[in-house]
Amino acid sequence: MSESNMPVMDRDDSHGWSSRTAFVLGAIGSAIGIGNVWRFPFVCYENGGGAFLLAYLIALFTAGIPLLLLEMGLGHKTLSGPPRAYGSIKKPLEWLGWLAVLVGFVLVCYYAVIMSWCANYFVFSFDLKWGDDPAGFFNKFLNKSDPTNIFSLGSIIPGILIGLVVMWIWVVLSIWKGAKTVSKVVYVTVILPWLILIIFVIRGVTLPGAMDGLAFYLTPDFSKLLEPKVWIAAYGQVFFSLSLGFGIMIAYASFLPKKSDIVNNVFIIALADSATAFVGGIAVFSGIGFLCHQTGSSIDQISGGPGLAFVTYPAIINQFPFAPQLFGILFFLMLLTLAIDSAFSLLETVVTGVMDKWHISRATANIGIAFIAMLCGIVFTTQAGLYWLDIVDNFNTNFVLIIVGILEAIAIAYVLGPKKLREHVNLTSDFKIGVWWDWIIRIVVPVVLIIGLGWAMYITINEDKPYGGYQSSAVFVGGWGLLIILPVVALILTVLKSKKQS
Ligand code: TRP
């Protein structure tokens, strides 16, 4: 390895990216996931359609892109996974790195379950098993238990559990050799999905009723922008979608060649990701319009939530004039290829963090962490799984993840100093970022996120009903509990002794 000006940081070159394109695709692959075609549309739908789009764009420019620059710069500068990267700014900040990794860990536990739904739907596509009633079929598939007592989990749904195990095996194999393998996998998993998505958009928008759905998607209702929950959902989705705040982009950038144009990469990644979400939204909202046309209901009567995409896409699939099975198979294959690189980006990040600290072998870390995540995911494969998924997703993404965002901006702004990071990034970038960035990190990001978070928390606490109308004890365990447990576990991981490399 060439001489590094930061000798403490060891980075085994054999795990580096095979080319710049592979890196950009890897990071795009992490960013573009089912979040774009599954989460974005339902969050958008629940938060006012067109108004949400506007809030999303503002969130992208005031926090998404500036923080992506921050994470990429930090990883590239410190050549470390998140815990060691933050720890090298100041030792106690290692805690923040672990917190970031843990938020991602929680996410990947249920993300893999959504992947398992996709895998099941992939199989259902062979004979269009959902028939003429995708909504009813989805309910039967999940066989949901009584929502008023979600502590009684009911039984595990075998198909979802099998899918979960298969998904984890696939994820583990994908990163078996680190970034080298990743570099190859991403070529297929990033380009293929785009082609299929475009076919779906064309079919979607030409269905009867599609225009009503699109009108809801694209017409902003400005009064919605007065609701804090719309803003926090927008910021949450930007973080979720750009894989920000999980330390993923720090770990990925740490594998970059020294001379990499970071600013350029950041803009490519951010714009490609948003474009995909926008296009995914077109497909889903034309599907919603079509469903309403079919059933005679109005747009806001369709039930949203994490199940939305699993109802609208099958409805579109049914309408292909020839070989709908084939389009179904292709579509769910696409979702899986989109999801896989997001999922392994996180596993790779946790593995990097653990290896940085304890120097255990890649294989052990890889299999061990995946196994624990799989076990934790089992709760989401039960009949009460969707309820827990809904609660955990909301609190993890909209609260804990945003807190990580606030803390990382503060750490760079007030401990490291943004100028140092900006100068590092500009060193290798054609397009230089200006001092404006320092001020965004110092003032805009923390202020906007703290106000949004505080406001959203206040409202969540003071609403008549607990989140989603579930029992308050469940919301406490699966939601608020995360805000307590994750920081504590992060603290334990921080104070555990690291093992010196032998
Ligand atoms: N960016 C991914 C998406 O849009 C979601 C994601 C972010 C993710 N961080 C992750 C998925 C960590 C798995 C693990 O779908």
Side-chain angles (χ1 to χ4, degrees):
M1 193 172 158
S2 60
E3 244 201 354
S4 162
N5 44 7
M6 289 179 141
V8 279
M9 307 306 176
D10 48 274
R11 247 294 166 268
D12 176 358
D13 233 4
S14 69
H15 290 128
W17 294 94
S18 58
S19 69
R20 153 150 189 228
T21 325
F23 164 77
V24 179
L25 285 176
I28 292 181
S30 171
I32 303 182
I34 35 182
N36 303 59
V37 282
W38 155 74
R39 195 176 191 279
F40 176 84
F42 87 76
V43 174
C44 181
Y45 175 74
E46 285 173 348
N47 289 284
F52 179 83
L53 266 186
L54 199 68
Y56 183 88
L57 272 182
I58 294 175
L60 180 69
F61 284 97
T62 54
I65 292 175
L67 285 176
L68 195 53
L69 282 164
L70 181 157
E71 292 202 0
M72 292 261 162
L74 187 64
H76 190 248
K77 184 175 161 69
T78 59
L79 300 174
S80 304
R84 200 172 64 178
Y86 286 111
S88 70
I89 299 175
K90 218 180 185 88
K91 193 76 189 67
L93 283 178
E94 183 186 326
W95 170 81
L96 179 56
W98 287 115
L99 184 62
V101 169
L102 286 172
V103 177
F105 182 82
V106 171
L107 193 161
V108 83
C109 292
Y110 64 82
Y111 199 79
V113 175
I114 309 282
M115 286 175 69
S116 164
W117 296 0
C118 296
N120 277 274
Y121 266 73
F122 170 75
V123 176
F124 298 154
S125 297
F126 283 84
D127 53 356
L128 303 181
K129 216 172 177 155
W130 49 78
D132 305 327
D133 180 17
F137 180 82
F138 183 70
N139 282 333
K140 260 209 267 129
F141 168 60
L142 290 185
N143 191 11
K144 284 185 276 187
S145 56
D146 176 14
T148 58
N149 178 16
I150 70 175
F151 282 103
S152 82
L153 295 174
S155 50
I156 289 177
I157 298 157
I160 302 185
L161 180 66
I162 296 171
L164 183 67
V165 175
V166 176
M167 291 302 110
W168 274 112
I169 295 176
W170 187 22
V171 171
V172 165
L173 292 180
S174 303
I175 59 158
W176 196 247
K177 291 223 174 74
K180 272 267 152 52
T181 329
V182 175
S183 305
K184 295 206 188 79
V185 178
V186 289
Y187 278 98
V188 186
T189 57
V190 173
I191 294 164
L192 180 71
W194 256 95
L195 295 178
I196 303 175
L197 195 54
I198 288 170
I199 299 178
F200 266 71
V201 165
I202 295 173
R203 176 66 278 205
V205 298
T206 50
L207 288 173
M211 289 309 140
D212 300 330
L214 290 180
F216 180 76
Y217 183 38
L218 300 173
T219 322
D221 164 7
F222 290 103
S223 68
K224 280 270 178 190
L225 293 179
L226 296 174
E227 292 179 23
K229 93 172 204 308
V230 172
W231 287 97
I232 207 75
Y235 279 89
Q237 177 59 21
V238 163
F239 275 74
F240 185 99
S241 195
L242 287 178
S243 299
L244 275 178
F246 306 98
I248 294 176
M249 294 303 180
I250 299 178
Y252 266 29
S254 79
F255 291 116
L256 265 178
K258 259 200 193 148
K259 283 202 205 129
S260 304
D261 188 329
I262 295 187
V263 178
N264 196 342
N265 288 340
V266 161
F267 277 90
I268 295 177
I269 294 162
L271 297 179
D273 181 62
S274 313
T276 312
F278 182 71
V279 174
I282 295 182
V284 168
F285 279 91
S286 43
I288 295 177
F290 171 67
L291 280 176
C292 292
H293 175 85
Q294 253 188 340
T295 56
S297 45
S298 74
I299 301 265
D300 41 25
Q301 283 171 343
I302 297 277
S303 66
L308 183 65
F310 289 86
V311 175
T312 50
Y313 289 117
I316 299 181
I317 292 170
N318 282 345
Q319 298 305 315
F320 275 96
F322 57 91
Q325 293 88 345
L326 180 70
F327 287 100
I329 292 167
L330 277 177
F331 178 75
F332 287 105
L333 192 65
M334 163 192 105
L335 283 188
L336 288 172
T337 57
L338 277 182
I340 186 79
D341 32 26
S342 303
F344 68 58
S345 68
L346 185 88
L347 184 59
E348 177 70 27
T349 303
V350 187
V351 167
T352 306
V354 168
M355 283 171 59
D356 280 351
K357 183 155 181 168
W358 290 289
H359 300 285
I360 59 176
S361 82
R362 173 169 284 275
T364 316
N366 195 346
I367 295 176
I369 294 160
F371 190 70
I372 300 172
M374 189 182 79
L375 289 184
C376 296
I378 290 179
V379 60
F380 305 115
T381 68
T382 63
Q383 288 174 277
L386 181 72
Y387 310 130
W388 288 105
L389 196 153
D390 189 12
I391 298 175
V392 171
D393 176 57
N394 181 67
F395 280 77
N396 195 51
T397 309
N398 290 345
F399 293 166
V400 197
L401 186 57
I402 297 289
I403 292 175
V404 174
I406 295 170
L407 294 179
E408 70 182 348
I410 292 179
I412 300 302
Y414 300 103
V415 187
L416 179 71
K419 188 158 172 256
K420 275 195 208 132
L421 208 55
R422 178 164 52 84
E423 282 171 350
H424 174 82
V425 166
N426 281 343
L427 217 57
T428 51
S429 299
D430 281 339
F431 178 84
K432 314 268 183 235
I433 39 176
V435 256
W436 55 266
W437 182 80
D438 298 16
W439 290 103
I440 290 193
I441 295 297
R442 280 198 194 111
I443 312 275
V444 179
V445 176
V447 169
V448 169
L449 293 186
I450 289 173
I451 294 178
L453 178 75
W455 198 357
M457 278 190 173
Y458 175 81
I459 294 211
T460 310
I461 294 170
N462 287 290
E463 242 164 7
D464 324 332
K465 281 189 295 184
Y467 173 78
Y470 303 106
Q471 301 136 279
S472 46
S473 49
V475 174
F476 185 79
V477 173
W480 297 108
L482 290 175
L483 281 131
I484 303 166
I485 294 175
L486 297 186
V488 172
V489 178
L491 189 65
I492 296 174
L493 290 169
T494 308
V495 296
L496 279 181
K497 273 234 159 349
S498 72
K499 189 162 158 270
K500 288 271 170 302
Q501 202 163 23
S502 46

